[in-house]
Amino acid sequence: MTGSELRDDGDTYEGDDEERKVLLGALSSFYQYSRVAHWNTTHLRRQSFYALPRAHWELLAKPPFSYLDTLDTVDNAIDKNAEISHAILLAGLHSFGVPMPERDQIADKQSDWTTSASPNDLEKARSTLRQLFRDWSEEGRQEREACYEPIFKALRKEALVKVDQKLQVLVPGAGLGRLVFDLCCAGFDSEGNEISYHQLLASAYILNSCSKARMHTLYPWIHSFSNHQDRASHLRSVQIPDINPAQVLGEIQGGGEMSMSASDFLLLYDSEEQKNRFDAVAAVFFLDTAPNVIRYLEVIRNCLKPGGVLVNTGPLLWHFENNAPGNHGKEPPIGFETMGIADPGSFELTDDEMIALVQKMGFEIESRESGKSASYIQDTNSMLQNTYKISSWTARKK
């Protein structure tokens, strides 16, 4: 993907075959969410339950366990999540001009995109719904603030120096768009970039099509039955979105402009057209998604204005550790061209080494803080708590 725009005009989507395949896979995963979630979460558990010795399942079917009632309640929760998934699907179909197939088309496998989702697509749809908890619920505010506070602190400091203009801020790996939205509300011109169509479809629905605050009920924890202290925690719901984005933007005085691009970060922002465009790049839980973080830093350096700042916060959970993309260190084939994030090769650095690399790449470190606790889509009632000690720093392009 090299710069496709999310549109809301009902026109037929035009893109290359591979990109269309990726889009349809994402749409299909939201279409199939309900069926797949019911099958994997409750149907298979019912089969396992009735495979128990009769005396055992009869014991568990009664209070205080009432295991079958729990499965019925989970089914109802899946149905509520499916309402969100269906809303995302319908908004995406309209945005890209993809028609919902008729029954006779569904019987024709060649014209049926509804079953095109891969297992990875289906997992991404489920995780995208869970991420709505972090980005667009009141209960996710604590997670957001832990990560966003260093970003806003650095950008407000930068804005004091450039009082005669609105800062142009790029948010790579923008996910569901909350940071892009919050920056816009704070008076910055913000542009988000995201490569995942699952994320883009969900963010477009929340930002452009969701008509009121607390419109949907989301059950973020129902897909896993592990590490719950009590059943109430397992079945806890949240309301999303916590605000009506359109209403909030309409009420703000002095807000910035906001946009989103659907593209490979490395391919889009390494171009001459993007050179020296932005006053700041806000990287939140992003740099460790790089197989080769040098390429990320090269592209960030390209699109930052001279004297612009890279503001980073996050852990170093290297996403491609033990799973390098591309040719896995082998010589590229004849005719190989730059593939963006799919370039071959990868490596992993420590936090100290990252700072040294940033300096080697033509940046000056102006501030650095480490050890602050932050979580990522964490159930605070869970018996398992995963907490990062994040690194936050600001580096200025020389």
Side-chain angles (χ1 to χ4, degrees):
M1 291 176 284
T2 57
S4 299
E5 293 294 328
L6 286 176
R7 301 194 306 275
D8 194 20
D9 54 14
D11 290 341
T12 301
Y13 174 68
E14 294 183 0
D16 60 48
D17 290 342
E18 185 60 31
E19 188 170 3
R20 181 176 177 83
K21 179 181 178 182
V22 173
L23 169 63
L24 293 179
L27 291 169
S28 172
S29 66
F30 288 112
Y31 179 88
Q32 295 189 65
Y33 165 77
S34 178
R35 179 185 62 81
V36 173
H38 280 302
W39 175 271
N40 289 331
T41 312
T42 57
H43 177 77
L44 295 180
R45 281 186 169 84
R46 285 190 178 91
Q47 287 186 330
S48 296
F49 181 81
Y50 284 117
L52 293 169
R54 183 182 183 89
H56 293 181
W57 69 253
E58 286 183 342
L59 171 65
L60 293 174
K62 301 174 182 178
F65 313 104
S66 302
Y67 193 75
L68 292 174
D69 291 341
T70 294
L71 295 182
D72 289 341
T73 304
V74 170
D75 274 327
N76 293 334
I78 290 172
D79 288 340
K80 298 301 291 186
N81 284 0
E83 292 178 9
I84 308 173
S85 184
H86 188 66
I88 293 170
L89 170 68
L90 293 181
L93 294 176
H94 176 73
S95 180
F96 286 97
V98 178
M100 182 76 80
E102 303 292 339
R103 289 186 178 275
D104 57 341
Q105 290 178 306
I106 291 177
D108 177 7
K109 296 301 182 183
Q110 290 188 343
S111 61
D112 178 20
W113 56 265
T114 63
T115 60
S116 65
S118 67
N120 189 43
D121 284 323
L122 296 169
E123 174 56 32
K124 285 181 179 179
R126 189 174 76 168
S127 65
T128 297
L129 292 177
R130 289 181 65 241
Q131 191 166 332
L132 288 168
F133 163 84
R134 174 182 171 88
D135 280 33
W136 293 102
S137 78
E138 178 61 32
E139 291 80 356
R141 178 191 294 272
Q142 184 176 356
E143 282 194 6
R144 296 195 299 272
E145 289 182 345
C147 301
Y148 294 174
E149 188 272 334
I151 302 296
F152 280 97
K153 181 180 178 181
L155 293 182
R156 289 189 181 107
K157 181 179 178 181
E158 196 71 8
L160 291 175
V161 179
K162 301 178 179 179
V163 294
D164 59 336
Q165 67 179 77
K166 286 185 178 178
L167 295 186
Q168 307 291 314
V169 183
L170 173 64
V171 182
L176 298 186
R178 186 58 184 258
L179 179 56
V180 180
F181 175 83
D182 286 351
L183 287 170
C184 173
C185 292
F188 302 105
D189 289 341
S190 55
E191 178 172 319
N193 168 249
E194 178 56 54
I195 194 172
S196 166
Y197 268 124
H198 294 81
Q199 303 275 299
L200 288 161
L201 290 166
S203 66
Y205 170 67
I206 295 293
L207 290 169
N208 300 325
S209 303
C210 201
S211 59
K212 62 182 180 179
R214 305 172 67 83
M215 184 172 178
H216 296 288
T217 300
L218 172 71
Y219 291 83
W221 319 122
I222 57 169
H223 298 108
S224 172
F225 278 60
S226 297
N227 288 310
H228 297 294
Q229 294 201 35
D230 52 58
R231 199 58 69 188
S233 297
H234 179 201
L235 301 172
R236 183 163 57 103
S237 65
V238 298
Q239 303 298 308
I240 60 111
D242 57 319
I243 57 172
N244 181 343
Q247 180 180 347
V248 170
L249 286 178
E251 295 172 351
I252 286 178
Q253 299 295 322
E257 298 292 326
M258 179 176 62
S259 62
M260 290 282 285
S261 67
S263 62
D264 185 315
F265 170 71
L266 296 181
L267 295 185
L268 179 59
Y269 294 97
D270 198 27
S271 64
E272 189 65 26
E273 292 79 6
Q274 300 290 335
K275 191 174 182 65
N276 301 332
R277 265 197 65 198
F278 297 97
D279 298 289
V281 172
V284 178
F285 281 61
F286 174 70
L287 293 182
D288 58 0
T289 67
N292 178 359
V293 74
I294 295 174
R295 288 283 290 123
Y296 272 25
L297 293 172
E298 287 175 338
V299 173
I300 290 171
R301 187 177 60 195
N302 177 71
C303 66
L304 270 179
K305 296 176 182 178
V309 292
L310 165 59
V311 187
N312 173 77
T313 185
L316 289 176
L317 178 63
W318 296 106
H319 285 39
F320 287 93
E321 184 173 359
N322 303 320
N323 187 29
N327 294 287
H328 301 271
K330 300 177 183 178
E331 287 297 317
I334 296 174
F336 171 84
E337 297 179 356
T338 299
M339 296 186 297
I341 196 172
D343 283 347
S346 69
F347 61 92
E348 302 83 32
L349 298 179
T350 67
D351 191 38
D352 284 345
E353 290 169 339
M354 271 296 300
I355 294 298
L357 178 61
V358 169
Q359 293 171 315
K360 290 283 188 182
M361 296 294 294
F363 293 86
E364 180 179 354
I365 302 295
E366 293 194 339
S367 65
R368 182 186 182 190
E369 179 184 0
S370 59
K372 183 178 180 180
S373 296
S375 56
Y376 198 91
I377 316 181
Q378 178 67 60
D379 176 7
T380 56
N381 294 332
S382 174
M383 298 169 69
L384 174 64
Q385 296 292 316
N386 291 317
T387 303
Y388 295 107
K389 298 293 186 179
I390 59 174
S391 176
S392 302
W393 43 264
T394 298
R396 189 172 301 276
K397 176 180 172 181
K398 295 180 181 178

